[in-house]
């Protein structure tokens, strides 16, 4: 047996509660008052409950009536959202877009784009995740994300569209009060070997693991993200290379010190944005275009 609570009945109850009278509700719904009264009476009869206290001059809901209106509004809202989502999907807009951002990037510029997008398309859900090194590519290959931003290392072409976002520079950085600061520069490998290397763990689940900031032969402190690596450097827990764009303010304030190494090799990494070629979603296309426009802000 079907429920007597229909969407039409819920809309009638909602209108009566908002307008505080059957007549006003009928006018708002472009119906005659008798039609509104019939809908309410029929619902009360089918449910075996009283929804309105008719001893009052104004239409006043009973406790059961209030509960039905409150819960009914949630159903009406969900129905409206589902209708809009179906219409969006038919016109090429996704119901959800999954964006994976590599830990090496600043998230704020992407958050700004998300805020802009939500004003235009509030019905589309945005799911943001963070991965490290191979984990960023892994999320796209495993189809757990639609768009990856800031991936580093080897580009996996074939099924993916690739866009370069630019390059980032790394510097060897330590805390302002680290013992290496007092040594003459360039710093020798022998001096560096006395201290732990802070490295970022690869979050990949199926691809060969890589690490950022690895100094071969040194003891290691492994952390989950670039942000945690920077914090560990600032606390003097160890040494290693850090992306310049992430520590610029700390370098300017003196909290971190950039040191020259005797065996220095320029460290630079190319950043990639990638997505599946067969994904023709309009939300994806919107973010691809916008991220290309703001790529300089990411680093």
């Amino acid at each position: 047996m079907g429920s007597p609570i229909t969407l039409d009945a819920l809309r009638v109850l909602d209108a009566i509660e908002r307008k505080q009278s059957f007549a006003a509700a009928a006018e708002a719904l472009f119906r005659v008052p008798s039609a509104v009264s019939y809908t309410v009476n029929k619902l009360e009869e089918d449910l075996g409950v009283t929804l309105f206290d008719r001893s009052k001059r104004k239409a006043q809901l009973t406790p059961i009536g209030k509960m039905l209106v409150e819960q009914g509004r949630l159903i009406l809202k969900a129905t409206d959202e589902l209708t809009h989502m179906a219409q969006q999907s038919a016109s090429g807009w996704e119901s959800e877009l999954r964006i994976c951002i590599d830990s090496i990037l600043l998230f704020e510029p992407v958050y700004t784009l998300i805020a802009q997008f939500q004003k235009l398309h509030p019905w589309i859900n945005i799911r943001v995740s963070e991965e490290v090194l191979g984990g960023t590519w892994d999320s796209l290959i495993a189809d757990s994300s639609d768009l990856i931003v800031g991936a580093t290392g080897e580009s996996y072409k074939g099924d993916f569209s690739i866009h370069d976002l630019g390059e980032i520079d790394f510097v060897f950085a330590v805390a302002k009060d680290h013992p290496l600061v007092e040594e003459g520069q360039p710093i020798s490998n022998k001096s560096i070997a006395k201290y732990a290397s802070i490295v970022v763990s690869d979050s990949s689940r199926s691809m060969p693991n890589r690490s950022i900031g690895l100094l071969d032969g040194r003891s290691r402190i492994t952390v989950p993200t670039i942000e945690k690596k920077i914090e560990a450097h600032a606390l003097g827990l160890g040494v290693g290379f850090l992306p310049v764009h992430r520590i610029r303010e700390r370098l300017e304030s003196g909290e971190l010190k950039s040191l020259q190494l005797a065996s220095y090799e320029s460290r630079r990494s190319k950043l990639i944005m990638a997505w599946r070629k067969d994904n023709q979603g309009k939300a994806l296309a919107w973010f691809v275009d916008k991220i290309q426009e703001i790529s300089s802000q990411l680093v």
Side-chain angles (χ1 to χ4, degrees), residues 79 90 121 186:
T79 302
H121 306 282

Side-chain angles (χ1 to χ4, degrees), residues 17-29:
E17 196 280 333
R18 287 187 293 104
K19 298 299 183 180
Q20 292 295 298
S21 80
F22 280 56
E27 183 178 354
L29 295 171

Side-chain angles (χ1 to χ4, degrees), residues 167-217:
E167 295 183 329
I168 54 173
D169 293 314
F170 291 81
V171 294
F172 185 84
V174 298
K176 62 181 178 182
D177 54 357
H178 194 281
L180 285 179
V181 174
E182 303 301 323
E183 294 199 18
Q185 298 186 50
I187 307 296
S188 68
N189 286 339
K190 183 178 180 180
S191 294
I192 296 173
K194 300 175 184 177
Y195 307 101
S197 177
I198 309 295
V199 301
V200 179
S201 177
D202 194 318
S203 64
S204 176
R205 297 155 187 81
S206 61
M207 298 173 63
N209 287 346
R210 295 182 287 132
S211 291
I212 285 182
L214 181 61
L215 296 169
D216 292 337

